[in-house]
PDB file of all heavy atoms in Angstrom:
ATOM      1  N   THR A  41       1.870 -12.948   2.746  1.00 97.00           N
ATOM      2  CA  THR A  41       0.911 -12.806   1.659  1.00 97.00           C
ATOM      3  C   THR A  41       1.605 -12.383   0.358  1.00 97.00           C
ATOM      4  O   THR A  41       0.951 -11.983  -0.599  1.00 97.00           O
ATOM      5  CB  THR A  41      -0.171 -11.762   2.028  1.00 97.00           C
ATOM      6  OG1 THR A  41       0.474 -10.568   2.480  1.00 97.00           O
ATOM      7  CG2 THR A  41      -1.087 -12.285   3.123  1.00 97.00           C
ATOM      8  N   GLY A  43       3.488  -9.777  -0.263  1.00 98.00           N
ATOM      9  CA  GLY A  43       3.357  -8.352  -0.552  1.00 98.00           C
ATOM     10  C   GLY A  43       4.703  -7.653  -0.567  1.00 98.00           C
ATOM     11  O   GLY A  43       5.692  -8.138  -0.012  1.00 98.00           O
ATOM     12  N   ILE A  44       4.742  -6.498  -1.236  1.00 98.00           N
ATOM     13  CA  ILE A  44       5.938  -5.638  -1.193  1.00 98.00           C
ATOM     14  C   ILE A  44       5.634  -4.336  -0.457  1.00 98.00           C
ATOM     15  O   ILE A  44       6.539  -3.578  -0.145  1.00 98.00           O
ATOM     16  CB  ILE A  44       6.500  -5.350  -2.603  1.00 98.00           C
ATOM     17  CG1 ILE A  44       5.477  -4.623  -3.491  1.00 98.00           C
ATOM     18  CG2 ILE A  44       6.944  -6.649  -3.272  1.00 98.00           C
ATOM     19  CD1 ILE A  44       6.106  -4.040  -4.757  1.00 98.00           C
ATOM     20  N   GLY A  45       4.352  -4.089  -0.208  1.00 98.00           N
ATOM     21  CA  GLY A  45       3.954  -2.883   0.500  1.00 98.00           C
ATOM     22  C   GLY A  45       2.639  -3.096   1.227  1.00 98.00           C
ATOM     23  O   GLY A  45       1.792  -3.873   0.774  1.00 98.00           O
ATOM     24  N   TYR A  91       2.929   1.241 -14.566  1.00 98.00           N
ATOM     25  CA  TYR A  91       3.291  -0.066 -14.024  1.00 98.00           C
ATOM     26  C   TYR A  91       2.019  -0.852 -13.734  1.00 98.00           C
ATOM     27  O   TYR A  91       1.006  -0.284 -13.319  1.00 98.00           O
ATOM     28  CB  TYR A  91       4.108   0.118 -12.738  1.00 98.00           C
ATOM     29  CG  TYR A  91       4.745  -1.136 -12.225  1.00 98.00           C
ATOM     30  CD1 TYR A  91       5.986  -1.551 -12.698  1.00 98.00           C
ATOM     31  CD2 TYR A  91       4.109  -1.919 -11.259  1.00 98.00           C
ATOM     32  CE1 TYR A  91       6.590  -2.707 -12.216  1.00 98.00           C
ATOM     33  CE2 TYR A  91       4.701  -3.080 -10.770  1.00 98.00           C
ATOM     34  CZ  TYR A  91       5.944  -3.456 -11.249  1.00 98.00           C
ATOM     35  OH  TYR A  91       6.528  -4.595 -10.785  1.00 98.00           O
ATOM     36  N   GLU A  93      -0.024  -2.604 -11.468  1.00 98.00           N
ATOM     37  CA  GLU A  93      -0.103  -2.691 -10.014  1.00 98.00           C
ATOM     38  C   GLU A  93      -1.096  -3.736  -9.540  1.00 98.00           C
ATOM     39  O   GLU A  93      -2.026  -4.111 -10.255  1.00 98.00           O
ATOM     40  CB  GLU A  93      -0.493  -1.324  -9.422  1.00 98.00           C
ATOM     41  CG  GLU A  93       0.523  -0.241  -9.722  1.00 98.00           C
ATOM     42  CD  GLU A  93       0.279   1.052  -8.965  1.00 98.00           C
ATOM     43  OE1 GLU A  93      -0.565   1.087  -8.036  1.00 98.00           O
ATOM     44  OE2 GLU A  93       0.944   2.050  -9.317  1.00 98.00           O
ATOM     45  N   GLY A  94      -0.861  -4.177  -8.315  1.00 98.00           N
ATOM     46  CA  GLY A  94      -1.805  -5.039  -7.612  1.00 98.00           C
ATOM     47  C   GLY A  94      -1.942  -4.488  -6.212  1.00 98.00           C
ATOM     48  O   GLY A  94      -1.346  -3.467  -5.887  1.00 98.00           O
ATOM     49  N   LEU A  96      -2.825  -6.010  -1.970  1.00 98.00           N
ATOM     50  CA  LEU A  96      -3.236  -7.108  -1.085  1.00 98.00           C
ATOM     51  C   LEU A  96      -4.714  -7.004  -0.714  1.00 98.00           C
ATOM     52  O   LEU A  96      -5.334  -8.003  -0.385  1.00 98.00           O
ATOM     53  CB  LEU A  96      -2.366  -7.121   0.178  1.00 98.00           C
ATOM     54  CG  LEU A  96      -0.909  -7.564  -0.041  1.00 98.00           C
ATOM     55  CD1 LEU A  96      -0.086  -7.302   1.215  1.00 98.00           C
ATOM     56  CD2 LEU A  96      -0.831  -9.025  -0.441  1.00 98.00           C
ATOM     57  N   PRO A  99      -7.251  -8.690  -4.061  1.00 97.00           N
ATOM     58  CA  PRO A  99      -6.500  -9.869  -4.493  1.00 97.00           C
ATOM     59  C   PRO A  99      -6.794 -10.295  -5.934  1.00 97.00           C
ATOM     60  O   PRO A  99      -7.932 -10.183  -6.401  1.00 97.00           O
ATOM     61  CB  PRO A  99      -6.911 -10.958  -3.499  1.00 97.00           C
ATOM     62  CG  PRO A  99      -8.136 -10.458  -2.818  1.00 97.00           C
ATOM     63  CD  PRO A  99      -8.053  -8.980  -2.850  1.00 97.00           C
ATOM     64  N   LYS A 100      -5.743 -10.742  -6.604  1.00 96.00           N
ATOM     65  CA  LYS A 100      -5.811 -11.365  -7.936  1.00 96.00           C
ATOM     66  C   LYS A 100      -6.083 -10.410  -9.100  1.00 96.00           C
ATOM     67  O   LYS A 100      -6.304 -10.864 -10.217  1.00 96.00           O
ATOM     68  CB  LYS A 100      -6.867 -12.495  -7.957  1.00 96.00           C
ATOM     69  CG  LYS A 100      -6.698 -13.566  -6.882  1.00 96.00           C
ATOM     70  CD  LYS A 100      -5.539 -14.488  -7.197  1.00 96.00           C
ATOM     71  CE  LYS A 100      -5.458 -15.725  -6.329  1.00 96.00           C
ATOM     72  NZ  LYS A 100      -5.527 -15.525  -4.884  1.00 96.00           N
ATOM     73  N   TYR A 102      -4.743  -7.049 -11.389  1.00 98.00           N
ATOM     74  CA  TYR A 102      -3.569  -6.251 -11.741  1.00 98.00           C
ATOM     75  C   TYR A 102      -3.935  -5.382 -12.932  1.00 98.00           C
ATOM     76  O   TYR A 102      -4.496  -5.874 -13.905  1.00 98.00           O
ATOM     77  CB  TYR A 102      -2.384  -7.166 -12.091  1.00 98.00           C
ATOM     78  CG  TYR A 102      -2.129  -8.210 -11.019  1.00 98.00           C
ATOM     79  CD1 TYR A 102      -2.777  -9.449 -11.052  1.00 98.00           C
ATOM     80  CD2 TYR A 102      -1.270  -7.940  -9.950  1.00 98.00           C
ATOM     81  CE1 TYR A 102      -2.578 -10.400 -10.055  1.00 98.00           C
ATOM     82  CE2 TYR A 102      -1.062  -8.873  -8.947  1.00 98.00           C
ATOM     83  CZ  TYR A 102      -1.721 -10.102  -9.000  1.00 98.00           C
ATOM     84  OH  TYR A 102      -1.531 -11.035  -8.006  1.00 98.00           O
ATOM     85  N   ALA A 134       5.603   2.175  -5.484  1.00 98.00           N
ATOM     86  CA  ALA A 134       5.026   1.559  -4.279  1.00 98.00           C
ATOM     87  C   ALA A 134       4.687   2.617  -3.222  1.00 98.00           C
ATOM     88  O   ALA A 134       3.635   2.540  -2.581  1.00 98.00           O
ATOM     89  CB  ALA A 134       5.993   0.523  -3.709  1.00 98.00           C
ATOM     90  N   HIS A 137       1.504   4.327  -4.266  1.00 99.00           N
ATOM     91  CA  HIS A 137       0.381   3.400  -4.077  1.00 99.00           C
ATOM     92  C   HIS A 137      -0.016   3.358  -2.597  1.00 99.00           C
ATOM     93  O   HIS A 137      -1.200   3.466  -2.260  1.00 99.00           O
ATOM     94  CB  HIS A 137       0.773   2.005  -4.584  1.00 99.00           C
ATOM     95  CG  HIS A 137      -0.246   0.945  -4.324  1.00 99.00           C
ATOM     96  ND1 HIS A 137      -0.965   0.322  -5.336  1.00 99.00           N
ATOM     97  CD2 HIS A 137      -0.675   0.371  -3.171  1.00 99.00           C
ATOM     98  CE1 HIS A 137      -1.782  -0.557  -4.796  1.00 99.00           C
ATOM     99  NE2 HIS A 137      -1.627  -0.557  -3.481  1.00 99.00           N
ATOM    100  N   GLU A 138       0.972   3.203  -1.719  1.00 99.00           N
ATOM    101  CA  GLU A 138       0.691   3.095  -0.275  1.00 99.00           C
ATOM    102  C   GLU A 138       0.201   4.424   0.298  1.00 99.00           C
ATOM    103  O   GLU A 138      -0.665   4.440   1.167  1.00 99.00           O
ATOM    104  CB  GLU A 138       1.920   2.606   0.489  1.00 99.00           C
ATOM    105  CG  GLU A 138       2.447   1.231   0.073  1.00 99.00           C
ATOM    106  CD  GLU A 138       1.397   0.138   0.040  1.00 99.00           C
ATOM    107  OE1 GLU A 138       0.382   0.227   0.761  1.00 99.00           O
ATOM    108  OE2 GLU A 138       1.577  -0.821  -0.740  1.00 99.00           O
TER     109      GLU A 138
HETATM  110  C1  QAP B 201       1.574  -2.174  -3.821  1.00 97.58           C
HETATM  111  O1  QAP B 201       1.148  -4.431  -3.580  1.00 97.58           O
HETATM  112  C2  QAP B 201       2.275  -2.089  -5.131  1.00 97.58           C
HETATM  113  O2  QAP B 201      -3.352  -9.554  -5.924  1.00 97.58           O
HETATM  114  C3  QAP B 201       1.920  -3.408  -3.030  1.00 97.58           C
HETATM  115  O3  QAP B 201      -3.015 -12.068  -5.068  1.00 97.58           O
HETATM  116  C4  QAP B 201       1.777  -2.746  -6.244  1.00 97.58           C
HETATM  117  O4  QAP B 201       2.259  -5.963  -2.430  1.00 97.58           O
HETATM  118  C5  QAP B 201       3.390  -1.348  -5.252  1.00 97.58           C
HETATM  119  C6  QAP B 201      -0.326  -9.086  -3.928  1.00 97.58           C
HETATM  120  C7  QAP B 201       2.442  -2.643  -7.455  1.00 97.58           C
HETATM  121  C8  QAP B 201       4.038  -1.241  -6.462  1.00 97.58           C
HETATM  122  C9  QAP B 201       3.569  -1.887  -7.562  1.00 97.58           C
HETATM  123  C10 QAP B 201      -1.396  -8.810  -4.746  1.00 97.58           C
HETATM  124  C11 QAP B 201      -0.158 -10.381  -3.476  1.00 97.58           C
HETATM  125  C12 QAP B 201       0.606  -8.043  -3.489  1.00 97.58           C
HETATM  126  C13 QAP B 201      -2.284  -9.817  -5.127  1.00 97.58           C
HETATM  127  C14 QAP B 201       1.367  -5.720  -3.200  1.00 97.58           C
HETATM  128  C15 QAP B 201      -2.112 -11.113  -4.666  1.00 97.58           C
HETATM  129  C16 QAP B 201      -1.035 -11.395  -3.854  1.00 97.58           C
HETATM  130  C17 QAP B 201       0.462  -6.735  -3.751  1.00 97.58           C
END
Side-chain angles (χ1 to χ4, degrees):
T41 51
I44 61 166
Y91 190 86
E93 298 189 11
L96 289 170
K100 306 286 191 310
Y102 309 89
H137 174 112
E138 300 309 334

